[in-house]
Amino acid sequence: MTSNEFQPSRTLFWGLMRAQLVTLVLFALLVTTLAGTLAGLVAAWGGTISLIAYAWGGFQLWMHPGNRAPKRMATAAIRAEMGKIAIMLLLFWLTFSKVPEAREMKIAMVLLLGFMLTQIVGWVQVARLDGQTAAEQDSQDD
């Protein structure tokens, strides 16, 4: 695989990471301004859970050199999804079991909202970048 063929994968991975990081920082700052420092930290942690899980999944799908071989793509996708789910469940379990404040309704809602917002922005960004990279590849094939 040449470096030009690897470029769309890099674009997807780093675009996803940038979008999620910007989202979690902006949302955490907004929540800190509106609801205080603890809520802002919890919002940032919710977004960070998504960021960590998607960093694992994105690396497995797009960046790991061994997983770009056609015969390994299916198992890499399964490993990426299973890893993302395991990471998310583990981090939520640790958060709710070790941080008693996280069990309060307001804090739990902020945590989950930070997580979901970061997730949704990630989905949108990947869909947008996937469409762009597909169009660029089609124009290069002509």
Side-chain angles (χ1 to χ4, degrees), residues 4-141:
N4 285 344
E5 293 173 17
F6 183 52
Q7 189 59 35
S9 297
R10 293 177 60 86
T11 300
L12 286 170
F13 180 78
W14 291 112
L16 170 66
M17 293 297 102
R18 268 192 308 273
Q20 286 195 324
L21 184 61
V22 167
T23 301
L24 84 87
V25 168
L26 291 177
F27 184 66
L29 289 173
L30 176 67
V31 170
T32 300
T33 303
L34 297 175
T37 305
L38 177 62
L41 289 172
V42 169
W45 178 241
T48 302
I49 291 172
S50 178
L51 181 72
I52 292 169
Y54 272 81
W56 162 263
F59 177 79
Q60 289 296 314
L61 285 175
W62 299 314
M63 300 297 283
H64 190 282
N67 292 341
R68 290 190 306 255
K71 64 182 179 181
R72 291 194 55 179
M73 285 182 179
T75 58
I78 292 168
R79 191 171 40 257
E81 287 301 318
M82 295 302 289
K84 279 183 354 190
I85 292 168
I87 289 167
M88 286 181 218
L89 289 175
L90 176 67
L91 291 176
F92 275 119
W93 174 74
L94 284 171
T95 301
F96 287 121
S97 68
K98 302 296 182 189
V99 182
E101 294 84 9
R103 294 182 215 131
E104 296 172 15
M105 181 61 87
K106 175 185 164 189
I107 298 298
M109 285 176 33
V110 170
L111 176 78
L112 295 175
L113 186 59
F115 172 78
M116 285 305 300
L117 184 62
T118 306
Q119 286 270 110
I120 292 168
V121 167
W123 296 336
V124 170
Q125 180 71 347
V126 168
R128 190 180 72 77
L129 289 174
D130 193 38
Q132 283 180 356
T133 57
E136 288 172 9
Q137 285 179 335
D138 287 344
S139 67
Q140 289 176 358
D141 291 342

